[in-house]
Amino acid sequence: MVDILADFLESWTIEKSSELYRVAEWSGGYFRVSDKGDMLVQPSPKYPDRAVSLPEIVEGLKDRGLDMPVLLRIENILDAQIAELNETFIAAMKNLGYQGNFMGAYPIKVNQQKQVIDAMVHYGAPYHHGLEAGSKAELIAAMGMMVDKEAPLICNGYKDEEFIDLALHAVKLGFRCILVVEMPSELPLIIERSRVIKVNPVLGVRIKLSTQGGGHWAESGGERSIFGLNTTQLIHAVDLLKEEGMLDCLQMVHYHLGSQISNIRQIRTAVGEACRVYAGLVKEGAGMRYLDLGGGLAVDYDGSQSNFLSSRNYTLNEYCTDITEAVMTTLDEEEIAHPTIITETGRALVAYYSVLLFNVLDKTIFEPDSLPEKLPEDCPPQLLNMLESLENLSIRNLQETLNDAIYYRDEVRQLFNRGQITLRERSLAENLFWTILNSILKTGRELKNAPAEIHEIERLLSDIYYCNFSLFQSLPDSWAIDQLFPVMPIHRLHEKPTRNAIIADITCDCDGKIDRFVDRFGAKRFLPLHDLNGSEEYYLGVFLVGAYQETLGDLHNLLGDTNVVTVSLHENGKYDFSGELEGDTVADILSYVEYDPKRLLMKFRKTAETAVKEGRISPLERKEVMQAYEAGLRGYTYFER
Ligand SMILES: *Cc1c(COP(=O)(O)O)cnc(C)c1O
């Protein structure tokens, strides 16, 4: 009764939901909670009047027959992010009196979808925002899509003759194509092929810095990085180019510290070191013009603005200002002209643009049954002791009661294993145990500074919400490197969430779960969610999944690509579905792993016919069986209502 009264008095608001899920902190101004308690997406913080409700979009998809899970892409966000990166660099350079300029090169590997590259080419045009290719396939995509001859086309990655030839042809066609030497062995081949193709290449060198990036990808930079030349190899390269009379072709220094660099200090230190190398190459007589800092601009997934792995301790403005300032300081000292600064920013450009949406299918709760009025007469003493602990529980003996409960429960389990306690008695003991834990939790919540054990119990008692998606397909970094993503309900945000839960996917893998969630201080182990309302659907969204998640995913349990829908938001607050891709069918998935769906069907028809012959099913039943099998092949790989 007291609880209900307290809940009633403490009325819930959408502001409380925003705060609870830390929306303002991670949303980049693209998402917010509406007065009605729905999650909204808006094309930019500048246009709150163009916000569109995510639940409304979900309804629209349902009407069109598109089932959950759905990957929703918001096209306008790419536009806004490209503009923001470029404008911020331009402003910082202007402020500081920088003599060179800025150019972006979007690394295709971060999200290779044609739609993304289209957007880069289109929205990037005013800024000459280019592309970065790390393989032949990516270069071929880039050459087919790019139109702007001013924009950089950076070729990184391990290069064979075919890769080199393609890049040299791009130079011949007039593209600002820069071949980055990643390995000493590539240089003689590039020189040879450029003679054959009769074109002067524009060359960059990828250097190994002593500065380490930190974070998940610490070894992408530093001396042990896989790619790049150390200083000895760099000098050999310079000597070779000198001998060949091609030193003027060497125009760029490139490095990549790794992705999601959360600490600005590492970024600054690396720029300083790279500038010294740049200056050294100028003095050697190379035709230096470009300084390419690679990727690394981090996304604040947890909104903590800290140097946690899922965050960053700097703003975009600080990033641009610090880099520009560091380049100026070092090169002014060396009396060398300011280069064009290039960044290969990927993650920060595309992360915000996709949201994974799914419905909750079911839940498990860890609430004990109500206890019997009286324990049985002949009940083992351990059970009586547990009951006594429960009755004596107070705010002063939480820890002691917890210890007792664990002690007696373990004793009961041992007695059961020795055959001295019945199944019913054990069940009663387990029930007593969970009842005690629940009571400890209720009592402990009243404390201002709850002991750590309380949080642990809270985790033990949190529900499991089973959700219609595959972690391995749609959120591979959550599984592989414990990447945090913001997860929250997309509706009912005017209601108080009354449950704590972790999220399980529909693969039958025990790793297929999310049990770390964004919080002010590191990750918390459960997520407050609303109770399920009978048959009414409950939808969750996983936000900021636009970078790296789509093609890294796999077919675990043969759950395939989800449906993908693109919306573009208009000035009048309306939107349309500008793209729609149906997810994999079961037949699609089976053919990826070498089954031929037609042959499967044929074989299965034989199995069914044999069953008719053996009198197990009637011919009419055979028809039903075959219809079910065929419908299954055509169907979506996810749970369908
Ligand atoms: C992966 C990669 C990038 C992209 O890094 P982000 O942190 O996503 O911006 C840029 N350059 C190179 C060479 C890369 O390998």
Side-chain angles (χ1 to χ4, degrees):
M1 266 324 276
V2 177
D3 275 0
I4 296 169
L5 191 62
D7 283 353
F8 180 74
L9 290 174
E10 180 209 11
S11 64
W12 193 253
T13 60
I14 57 158
E15 287 77 19
K16 286 184 183 170
S17 281
S18 285
E19 211 173 293
L20 176 68
Y21 298 112
R22 303 181 56 70
V23 178
E25 283 78 10
W26 57 254
S27 66
Y30 295 115
F31 304 96
R32 65 184 165 91
V33 181
S34 77
D35 297 340
K36 277 172 57 194
D38 287 347
M39 202 60 175
L40 301 178
V41 54
Q42 56 197 25
S44 133
K46 280 182 269 179
Y47 305 112
D49 51 324
R50 294 191 210 167
V52 170
S53 137
L54 291 181
E56 194 186 307
I57 291 177
V58 168
E59 284 308 313
L61 295 176
K62 254 207 308 217
D63 293 344
R64 289 167 175 78
L66 277 166
D67 285 324
M68 296 285 120
V70 166
L71 184 75
L72 181 71
R73 300 178 175 147
I74 304 101
E75 218 177 343
N76 314 59
I77 292 183
L78 289 177
D79 175 8
Q81 286 292 90
I82 296 168
E84 197 182 357
L85 175 69
N86 283 281
E87 300 286 351
T88 313
F89 255 117
I90 292 168
M93 289 178 162
K94 198 168 162 215
N95 261 342
L96 295 165
Y98 190 76
Q99 302 295 310
N101 50 1
F102 169 75
M103 277 185 171
Y106 170 73
I108 296 177
K109 74 154 194 267
V110 182
N111 188 326
Q112 304 96 330
Q113 304 294 330
K114 171 167 177 291
Q115 190 177 53
V116 175
I117 310 304
D118 267 335
M120 293 294 160
V121 169
H122 182 71
Y123 301 121
Y127 307 104
H128 303 302
H129 203 104
L131 297 172
E132 183 264 358
S135 68
K136 278 186 281 189
E138 289 183 357
L139 177 58
I140 285 168
M143 286 169 70
M145 304 281 292
M146 263 178 96
V147 270
D148 186 355
K149 297 283 176 9
E150 298 283 309
L153 170 54
I154 314 269
C155 299
N156 289 323
Y158 219 97
K159 294 174 204 62
D160 62 5
E161 194 173 308
E162 199 176 38
F163 194 159
I164 292 169
D165 284 6
L166 274 168
L168 293 171
H169 288 308
V171 177
K172 237 183 176 175
L173 291 176
F175 284 108
R176 190 186 288 239
C177 178
I178 306 173
L179 269 118
V180 178
V181 178
E182 305 233 10
M183 307 284 292
S185 57
E186 285 171 358
L187 190 55
L189 189 58
I190 294 174
I191 294 172
E192 186 198 315
R193 294 309 301 168
S194 64
R195 297 252 152 86
V196 174
I197 294 179
K198 299 196 175 61
V199 66
N200 279 334
V202 181
L203 299 178
V205 269
R206 179 160 180 170
I207 54 167
K208 285 185 180 176
L209 297 177
S210 56
T211 314
Q212 288 248 348
H216 290 299
W217 291 271
E219 295 217 332
S220 306
E223 283 159 57
R224 286 289 304 160
S225 65
I226 307 170
F227 286 122
L229 275 57
N230 63 29
T231 45
T232 315
Q233 292 164 330
L234 185 59
I235 292 297
H236 288 317
V238 168
D239 289 344
L240 178 59
L241 285 168
K242 229 179 234 173
E243 262 167 48
E244 301 283 341
M246 288 175 69
L247 195 52
D248 58 330
C249 296
L250 178 56
Q251 300 183 5
M252 186 173 86
V253 162
H254 168 269
Y255 68 91
H256 173 63
L257 270 188
S259 199
Q260 185 68 15
I261 306 293
S262 50
N263 195 342
I264 188 80
R265 208 170 51 203
Q266 276 146 350
I267 293 169
R268 227 182 297 142
T269 314
V271 177
E273 188 182 347
C275 282
R276 297 292 174 192
V277 176
Y278 182 95
L281 290 172
V282 172
K283 287 172 191 164
E284 288 286 332
M288 303 308 290
R289 294 176 60 188
Y290 308 103
L291 178 65
D292 179 349
L293 321 182
L297 175 57
V299 168
D300 195 358
Y301 292 97
D302 65 23
S304 67
Q305 296 180 11
S306 68
N307 61 359
F308 292 154
L309 291 184
S310 298
S311 184
R312 66 179 193 197
N313 65 1
Y314 51 91
T315 62
L316 178 61
N317 186 38
E318 281 162 343
Y319 177 81
C320 300
T321 305
D322 280 23
I323 286 173
T324 308
E325 208 167 44
V327 173
M328 281 175 80
T329 317
T330 319
L331 294 184
D332 286 350
E333 217 177 280
E334 306 255 7
E335 296 184 348
I336 283 170
H338 299 164
T340 295
I341 296 178
I342 296 175
T343 72
E344 297 167 359
T345 302
R347 181 187 295 276
L349 282 186
V350 297
Y352 295 90
Y353 132 97
S354 319
V355 184
L356 178 70
L357 300 169
F358 49 76
N359 49 337
V360 177
L361 299 172
D362 205 349
K363 65 172 183 183
T364 297
I365 59 172
F366 295 85
E367 263 165 23
D369 287 351
S370 51
L371 293 171
E373 295 270 298
K374 241 173 71 197
L375 293 185
E377 295 279 292
D378 53 348
C379 131
Q382 289 80 6
L383 270 68
L384 295 170
N385 294 342
M386 285 170 110
L387 188 61
E388 196 182 315
S389 297
L390 180 62
E391 282 163 359
N392 293 336
L393 176 71
S394 80
I395 211 148
R396 279 175 301 279
N397 65 6
L398 292 177
Q399 185 64 51
E400 184 190 334
T401 311
L402 177 64
N403 295 346
D404 285 353
I406 293 173
Y407 177 82
Y408 292 123
R409 183 201 56 180
D410 290 350
E411 206 167 303
V412 166
R413 285 183 174 176
Q414 281 168 21
L415 290 170
F416 176 78
N417 289 348
R418 288 205 292 271
Q420 290 164 3
I421 270 188
T422 68
L423 185 60
R424 273 190 187 277
E425 285 163 347
R426 174 171 166 178
S427 154
L428 188 51
E430 303 274 349
N431 203 7
L432 268 162
F433 177 76
W434 290 111
T435 309
I436 294 173
L437 257 56
N438 265 291
S439 304
I440 293 178
L441 193 58
K442 279 216 184 82
T443 318
R445 277 193 191 131
E446 293 160 19
L447 287 176
K448 262 227 176 68
N449 292 312
E453 288 75 17
I454 295 294
H455 294 287
E456 183 56 20
I457 294 175
E458 194 120 42
R459 188 176 73 82
L460 280 175
L461 292 178
S462 62
D463 305 341
I464 303 173
Y465 274 46
Y466 298 89
C467 300
N468 198 7
F469 78 110
S470 158
L471 189 80
F472 306 92
Q473 175 62 251
S474 298
L475 303 171
D477 280 347
S478 171
W479 167 66
I481 54 169
D482 281 335
Q483 165 79 56
L484 283 182
F485 292 100
V487 188
M488 63 179 285
I490 60 163
H491 57 157
R492 296 177 61 184
L493 294 161
H494 55 298
E495 283 174 51
K496 182 176 179 175
T498 53
R499 311 295 309 178
N500 286 324
I502 68 156
I503 287 171
D505 72 4
I506 59 165
T507 67
C508 49
D509 191 309
C510 53
D511 279 341
K513 62 172 192 257
I514 309 177
D515 60 0
R516 291 169 67 256
F517 302 94
V518 304
D519 196 14
R520 199 175 310 261
F521 311 105
K524 64 181 172 197
R525 302 305 303 272
F526 45 79
L527 182 69
L529 290 175
H530 301 91
D531 210 347
L532 302 181
N533 278 346
S535 63
E536 190 185 304
E537 288 278 20
Y538 186 49
Y539 294 105
L540 303 182
V542 183
F543 293 81
L544 276 50
V545 298
Y548 296 105
Q549 303 314 293
E550 284 189 49
T551 37
L552 277 177
D554 68 25
L555 299 180
H556 204 33
N557 275 122
L558 298 186
L559 292 165
D561 275 342
T562 65
N563 292 321
V564 180
V565 172
T566 309
V567 293
S568 36
L569 315 178
H570 301 305
E571 285 176 29
N572 56 6
K574 297 242 162 44
Y575 63 96
D576 51 37
F577 293 110
S578 54
E580 187 180 311
L581 271 171
E582 263 182 64
D584 288 321
T585 63
V586 170
D588 291 336
I589 288 293
L590 288 173
S591 58
Y592 298 157
V593 284
E594 314 262 305
Y595 294 89
D596 176 351
K598 276 208 195 94
R599 285 183 156 235
L600 273 181
L601 193 60
M602 247 158 58
K603 277 188 87 169
F604 187 70
R605 201 172 283 135
K606 271 193 195 140
T607 307
E609 187 50 34
T610 312
V612 174
K613 267 193 209 128
E614 290 170 358
R616 292 173 198 278
I617 55 170
S618 69
L620 204 62
E621 283 169 326
R622 189 197 104 146
K623 189 174 150 199
E624 281 166 12
V625 168
M626 289 313 299
Q627 276 169 350
Y629 193 81
E630 285 174 57
L633 276 174
R634 281 192 306 270
Y636 199 20
T637 58
Y638 292 91
F639 193 95
E640 295 172 288
R641 292 270 198 224

